[in-house]
Amino acid sequence: MTSTERVVTDEATNRPVLEVHDVSVTFPGRRGRRPARAVDGVNLTVGSGEIVALIGESGCGKSTLARVLVGLIKPTAGAVSYRSEPLGYRAAALKEYRRHVQLVLQDPAAALNPRQNVFDAVAEGLRLHGERQNLTGRVHTAMEQAGLRPVENYLARYPHELSGGQQQRVVIAGALALDPGVIVADEPVSSLDASVRGEILKLILDLRDQLGLSALVVSHDLGLAWNIADRVAVMYLGRIVEVGTVEEVLLSPKHPYTKSLIAAVASAGRAPHPLLTGEPPDPTRIPSGCRFHPRCPLRAEAGERGDICVSTPLPILAADTGQRQVACHLA
């Protein structure tokens, strides 16, 4: 089955499972600095059983958006919805929401309490939600789903007795124990050895196929996106600049930023597009017009035609329309 054939909407409602509506996050200025627009007008959806990869350079706002999606950061503007129900920020509403949308962090060692054994680590979420009925059975099931088999070999072990891959499986098992509909995985394999990364990515795919689990996977790694994603959203300086199926975006990129990201991982001397130069602008001083124009090789080649990139802002991309979307004057 190809990614374009996979079901990406919730069958019961014909709506995406997770939706981001015009979300912005502005951090207040400090020590004389201007406010920083970390996320600036983002629309994004994740469908039922769909894996969406959110990619971009460090500092582009990916992790901030991930934390908005799990309710750790309240957006300055816009809203997040799970199965068409808006996320509320009162304690009871957040607690209920987090049963359904779980975060998996990049550093499992930091995510696990060194004083808790594996059983207690996986059971922690269930206990916080007051779900003690059949606690042992649910912990065992979650561990099996996360590939910690045989379960008996892991229950009494502590994080320092586990490999990095096993630690990440414990974190994932803790998320699965609450039977969520979506996991938000922020760089889930970046701290792992290369030999283990493929196993964790395969686990995420297996969870999608076996449980119908949806996922938003945050990464700077285009290879990760190619291996597991159905769709890819490319983020630059707080905004989504290109979105489409993984084949559309990675095999036929349209935005010059996406092209440059791909060129950066191409073989030496064979890069099909100009390499990205310079650093992303300060989010307290976002450029006028297209925010990518100071680094854009396409604008540099366009001559006077590229003046529009400096003078005219680009429209914010809409939520998933089922169509390829690119925010670029020249693409």
Side-chain angles (χ1 to χ4, degrees):
M1 181 180 291
T2 67
S3 64
T4 54
E5 294 171 328
R6 291 171 186 147
V7 176
V8 296
T9 53
D10 180 68
E11 294 179 0
T13 63
N14 200 32
R15 298 283 292 175
V17 175
L18 191 64
E19 297 177 88
V20 179
H21 310 270
D22 298 321
V23 161
S24 295
V25 176
T26 301
F27 294 117
R30 295 179 180 176
R31 299 180 181 177
R33 289 172 60 84
R34 299 178 183 181
R37 287 183 280 168
V39 177
D40 192 17
V42 167
N43 296 292
L44 190 63
T45 63
V46 180
S48 178
E50 183 185 34
I51 298 176
V52 177
L54 180 65
I55 64 172
E57 295 171 286
S58 296
C60 73
K62 306 186 305 295
S63 291
T64 300
L65 181 59
R67 281 156 176 74
V68 169
L69 290 177
V70 295
L72 292 176
I73 295 176
K74 184 177 181 180
T76 309
V80 177
S81 298
Y82 176 76
R83 297 193 186 278
S84 301
E85 290 293 327
L87 166 59
Y89 291 91
R90 292 183 181 275
L94 273 174
K95 186 176 181 180
E96 178 61 24
Y97 175 82
R98 288 174 182 155
R99 290 168 51 90
H100 307 293
V101 182
Q102 286 279 303
L103 178 65
V104 174
L105 294 170
Q106 66 177 9
D107 184 358
L112 295 171
N113 184 339
R115 297 183 179 181
Q116 282 185 331
N117 62 26
V118 169
F119 180 90
D120 288 332
V122 176
E124 184 174 22
L126 291 168
R127 288 169 171 157
L128 287 173
H129 285 268
E131 298 190 14
R132 297 179 180 273
Q133 186 174 2
N134 192 27
L135 182 68
T136 299
R138 294 179 68 176
V139 168
H140 285 209
T141 297
M143 290 175 62
E144 291 219 1
Q145 290 170 338
L148 293 165
R149 306 185 190 99
V151 168
E152 292 74 15
N153 288 358
Y154 296 95
L155 290 171
R157 295 169 70 178
Y158 288 84
H160 71 274
E161 298 175 305
L162 303 173
S163 68
Q166 290 167 342
Q167 290 175 347
Q168 191 63 292
R169 288 177 186 272
V170 172
V171 172
I172 292 171
L176 294 176
L178 286 166
D179 193 23
V182 183
I183 59 170
V184 177
D186 189 0
E187 300 280 5
V189 297
S190 64
S191 66
L192 303 178
D193 293 338
S195 60
V196 182
R197 291 176 188 174
E199 296 177 8
I200 299 300
L201 296 182
K202 182 179 184 302
L203 172 61
I204 294 174
L205 282 170
D206 289 344
L207 293 172
R208 188 272 305 278
D209 294 340
Q210 296 167 13
L211 306 178
L213 191 68
S214 304
L216 178 81
V217 181
V218 174
S219 182
H220 64 276
D221 185 347
L222 295 171
L224 179 149
W226 177 255
N227 284 325
I228 72 169
D230 300 296
R231 283 191 300 126
V232 175
V234 182
M235 196 168 188
Y236 182 77
L237 202 59
R239 283 200 178 161
I240 304 296
V241 297
E242 183 165 7
V243 62
T245 67
V246 65
E247 292 90 352
E248 289 172 337
V249 174
L250 298 187
L251 292 182
S252 181
K254 300 297 183 186
H255 198 283
Y257 177 60
T258 311
K259 292 180 179 181
S260 295
L261 289 177
I262 292 171
V265 297
S267 299
R270 294 171 50 205
H273 308 290
L275 291 171
L276 194 61
T277 59
E279 297 293 328
D282 188 330
T284 67
R285 298 179 179 275
I286 292 177
S288 62
C290 170
R291 54 192 62 196
F292 185 59
H293 83 256
R295 305 171 73 195
C296 181
L298 191 58
R299 173 187 168 254
E301 297 168 358
E304 292 183 1
R305 194 164 64 94
D307 291 347
I308 190 175
C309 304
V310 181
S311 62
T312 306
L314 284 156
I316 293 172
L317 296 185
D320 180 32
T321 62
Q323 303 294 322
R324 177 83 170 276
Q325 295 187 76
V326 183
C328 178
H329 291 299
L330 303 178

